[in-house]
Amino acid sequence: MSTTVLHKADTRGHADHGWLNAYHSFSFASWYNPERVQFGALRVLNDDTVAAGMGFGTHPHDNMEIITIPLEGDLAHKDSMGNTEIIKNGDVQVMSAGTGVKHSEFNPNEDQRTKLLQIWVFPNKRDVEPRYQQVTLNPEERKNKLQQILSPNAEDEGVWIHQDAWFHLGKFDKGVTATYDLKKEGNGVYAFILSGNLTINGQELETRDGFGIWDVTALDIEATSDAEFLLMEIPMKH
């Protein structure tokens, strides 16, 4: 039985709406692939580029943990909880949609694009009170090491969500190695390569590849070039 899944960058769903250029690692909107609906509790991984001055109009969500990681530029967020925020590269934002929330997201800049990852994770409890959280990360904390950016625990580094999930960012120089020990039995890890080349447990990965692995207790990571990546540890059953 295979305990890995490889999603090469060029196999992702793609939608170019002009104002939005989106790549989907998992089925989303009009792109449906029955073999790519989710990875455990990870439901959506969208790699979005929003044109200057454009954005997503107000739309609803419920019973989903929605994580936004800006990679370039800024994103103006407004929601029905009364939050009006700008998130930028170096920030991570989460909304627990719970019983329901509406929000809009726009690129406030007229002269530059915004690039972001939007990630949806199924929660471990339904109909929670909606909540919003945003933190600014120190990029030095991921230089040749793993920086925790999300966990189930409000006291931990990064943001927290209603799920036994841990996210880490790494920015490794070529040749740097690390071991990632999974935090919870029954969890798997979905790795997404932001740039460069990485080998995880022997699997060679390139920019924008996704790699899911489960039934392991640790990952052996090696940067085969300078590389940036996101590790998402999530329950395989939800």
Side-chain angles (χ1 to χ4, degrees), residues 106-133:
F106 279 86
N107 178 353
N109 301 314
E110 296 295 335
D111 57 352
Q112 66 174 27
R113 65 188 183 183
T114 296
K115 300 185 99 167
L116 63 125
L117 299 180
Q118 184 159 102
I119 300 161
W120 296 6
V121 174
F122 288 111
N124 57 15
K125 53 183 76 147
R126 290 183 62 82
D127 297 331
V128 300
E129 183 180 343
R131 56 176 282 272
Y132 178 92
Q133 186 188 8

Side-chain angles (χ1 to χ4, degrees), residues 43 103 109 114 181 206-207 213 235:
R43 172 62 190 86
H103 74 144
N109 301 314
T114 296
D181 295 308
E206 301 172 310
T207 300
I213 185 167

Side-chain angles (χ1 to χ4, degrees), residues 32-89:
Y32 178 72
N33 179 336
E35 296 177 2
R36 304 262 293 260
V37 174
Q38 64 198 77
F39 179 82
L42 176 62
R43 172 62 190 86
V44 167
L45 173 57
N46 286 350
D47 181 6
D48 291 346
T49 302
V50 181
M54 303 301 285
F56 304 88
T58 303
H59 57 281
H61 294 281
D62 66 76
N63 287 312
M64 196 66 77
E65 302 292 304
I66 298 168
I67 301 108
T68 303
I69 303 174
L71 303 175
E72 181 185 305
D74 305 325
L75 197 67
H77 166 99
K78 285 186 181 174
D79 66 44
S80 53
M81 297 178 279
N83 298 293
T84 305
E85 302 287 347
I86 301 277
I87 56 172
K88 50 176 65 79
N89 178 244

